[in-house]
Amino acid sequence: AQSVAQPEDQVNVAEGNPLTVKCTYSVSGNPYLFWYVQYPNRGLQFLLKYITGDNLVKGSYGFEAEFNKSQTSFHLKKPSALVSDSALYFCAVRDVNYNTDKLIFGTGTRLQVFP
Amino acid sequence: NAGVTQTPKFQVLKTGQSMTLQCAQDMNHEYMSWYRQDPGMGLRLIHYSVGAGITDQGEVPNGYNVSRSTTEDFPLRLLSAAPSQTSVYFCASSYGLADQETQYFGPGTRLLVL
């Protein structure tokens, strides 16, 4: 079965510093990977996706993610963190086979950016 | 456009009570889904629909019923609430099943079952 893991419950970073939120995946076949952000009392918002092609994917709000096949990772990155980036971040993989097509979400990582 | 709307925002139920969580979208989306969000478990798919009159089960369907009589509405019913159903529930929609990764999510309904 497809799955993703987010090993860190929380990541703390100072404003202006680079940030990384980690995600590893386990899939059979080619992975379809995604990142979402959830601000307090809001639903999830799509940030970016990797389907195929360039390993560095750029998304909304200055975020990017690097797909690494050998390490089975899809870490979310941003060169310079903002306080407003503080939120809950979810990695997800799309589970597609003959009888299913759904998203499998990680457990989430809370990003706290300090001024 | 209002996007995806959910009512109520917060609800307290007693064990055994029933209720319906409402979800509506005004974007003419065919695909709609319900998730529950629990601490340390991410989001889990409860039920989904690929169009009016068509529904199917997700990962955790037990204890929940859905129907899709119109394109706009996708209510989630709890027939006999249990404390294990205490959670935050999100409804989402997209143009189609193929677009589900870019679903629009509603603001959520926080449910507490005593």
Side-chain angles (χ1 to χ4, degrees), chain B residues 4-66:
Chain B
V4 179
T5 58
Q6 292 183 237
T7 56
K9 290 185 178 180
F10 180 71
Q11 183 72 45
V12 179
L13 290 178
K14 294 181 179 179
T15 297
Q17 286 185 315
S18 64
M19 79 161 294
T20 299
L21 281 64
Q22 302 291 345
C23 174
Q25 51 89 11
D26 61 357
M27 297 172 282
N28 202 31
H29 285 170
E30 292 293 331
Y31 183 80
M32 295 186 74
S33 58
W34 276 102
Y35 293 87
R36 59 178 290 173
Q37 183 179 26
D38 302 292
M41 301 194 72
L43 272 74
R44 292 180 292 169
L45 182 65
I46 304 172
H47 285 284
Y48 66 95
S49 168
V50 297
I54 306 169
T55 64
D56 208 344
Q57 296 180 350
E59 297 175 73
V60 288
N62 292 343
Y64 307 96
N65 281 354
V66 292

Side-chain angles (χ1 to χ4, degrees), chain B residues 88-109:
Chain B
V88 182
Y89 292 85
F90 288 99
C91 179
S93 73
S94 63
Y95 284 107
L97 181 62
D99 305 296
Q100 62 178 288
E101 67 262 21
T102 54
Q103 290 177 85
Y104 291 82
F105 282 80
T109 294

Side-chain angles (χ1 to χ4, degrees), chain A residues 49-79:
Chain A
K49 66 179 177 182
Y50 173 84
I51 303 297
T52 186
D54 196 346
N55 289 342
L56 186 64
V57 180
K58 294 188 183 298
S60 306
Y61 311 122
F63 283 93
E64 56 190 26
E66 186 172 10
F67 173 71
N68 188 315
K69 189 173 184 178
S70 63
Q71 297 185 4
T72 62
S73 66
F74 188 56
H75 299 334
L76 182 70
K77 299 181 179 183
K78 189 174 183 181

Side-chain angles (χ1 to χ4, degrees), chain A residues 4-98:
Chain A
V4 289
Q6 295 181 244
E8 302 157 317
D9 290 335
Q10 180 154 334
V11 170
N12 299 317
V13 64
E15 188 174 33
N17 283 0
L19 69 87
T20 298
V21 182
K22 296 180 180 178
C23 173
T24 59
Y25 65 88
S26 174
V27 303
S28 54
N30 294 322
Y32 299 161
L33 297 162
F34 313 95
W35 275 103
Y36 297 84
V37 60
Q38 184 181 27
Y39 297 104
N41 301 312
R42 303 285 297 277
L44 273 68
Q45 296 179 35
F46 171 78
L47 274 179
L48 52 80
K49 66 179 177 182
Y50 173 84
I51 303 297
T52 186
D54 196 346
N55 289 342
L56 186 64
V57 180
K58 294 188 183 298
S60 306
Y61 311 122
F63 283 93
E64 56 190 26
E66 186 172 10
F67 173 71
N68 188 315
K69 189 173 184 178
S70 63
Q71 297 185 4
T72 62
S73 66
F74 188 56
H75 299 334
L76 182 70
K77 299 181 179 183
K78 189 174 183 181
S80 180
L82 301 172
V83 173
S84 58
D85 293 330
S86 298
L88 192 56
Y89 291 82
F90 290 95
C91 180
V93 63
R94 190 161 177 176
D95 185 7
V96 181
N97 59 48
Y98 70 94

